[in-house]
Amino acid sequence: MRWRFLFITALFWFSLALWTIGLLIPVPARSTEVFGSDDIKFIIAKILHGTAYAYLAVLAGLMNVSPRRRWWLLGLLSSHAFLTEFLQSFVNRGASWRDVGLDHLGILVGFAASWRRWFPRSKPLSRDS
């Protein structure tokens, strides 16, 4: 069982690193040709923003860490959304508050999907107490 949690932890950090790189590399000008139009490229990019952060929030919920650390991971994801959006303005990608909002919507969806892991069950009081 321990290997499962180690795998999830490694997957979280690897995914976060990969997503960071993906957000900070310049988008080729010819990328529109692949998707067919700017509108389709826009829609796919926005869905990807929300989905990536939802995925990361679910992984954070599945990690075998204390509840306090799990909340720190959620804060890390929120900070990551703001910071990478800010840094995109330096790599010829536009920074957008809309993207930060979509990132946070994704975090909320991922949190909702894994909410039971975010709130540990308390042990019931025994009758002898």
Side-chain angles (χ1 to χ4, degrees):
M1 191 69 130
R2 178 125 172 98
W3 67 269
R4 178 179 173 256
F5 293 119
L6 289 173
F7 175 75
I8 290 170
T9 300
L11 185 60
F12 173 84
W13 291 110
F14 176 76
S15 298
L16 185 63
L18 199 60
W19 181 233
T20 303
I21 291 167
L23 288 172
L24 296 179
I25 59 172
V27 177
R30 295 177 40 143
S31 62
T32 303
E33 295 173 12
V34 173
F35 296 111
S37 73
D38 282 332
D39 292 338
I40 293 173
K41 177 181 153 187
F42 175 81
I43 291 168
I44 290 172
K46 301 315 161 197
I47 290 171
L48 185 59
H49 264 270
T51 304
Y53 280 98
Y55 164 76
L56 288 166
V58 167
L59 285 179
L62 294 175
M63 288 171 68
N64 190 27
V65 296
S66 69
R68 173 180 260 180
R69 286 196 177 151
R70 193 170 290 123
W71 287 105
W72 278 102
L73 289 170
L74 203 64
L76 171 75
L77 290 178
S78 177
S79 299
H80 184 271
F82 281 106
L83 183 60
T84 53
E85 202 61 38
F86 171 72
L87 292 174
Q88 282 180 357
S89 63
F90 298 105
V91 292
N92 295 326
R93 294 178 65 151
S96 166
W97 283 107
R98 175 183 49 223
D99 286 350
V100 175
L102 289 171
D103 297 343
H104 282 82
L105 181 62
I107 292 169
L108 183 63
V109 168
F111 172 81
S114 60
W115 71 272
R116 288 182 186 220
R117 294 283 298 174
W118 293 88
F119 299 103
R121 294 183 216 166
S122 60
K123 296 179 182 177
L125 295 173
S126 67
R127 290 186 175 181
D128 299 332
S129 301

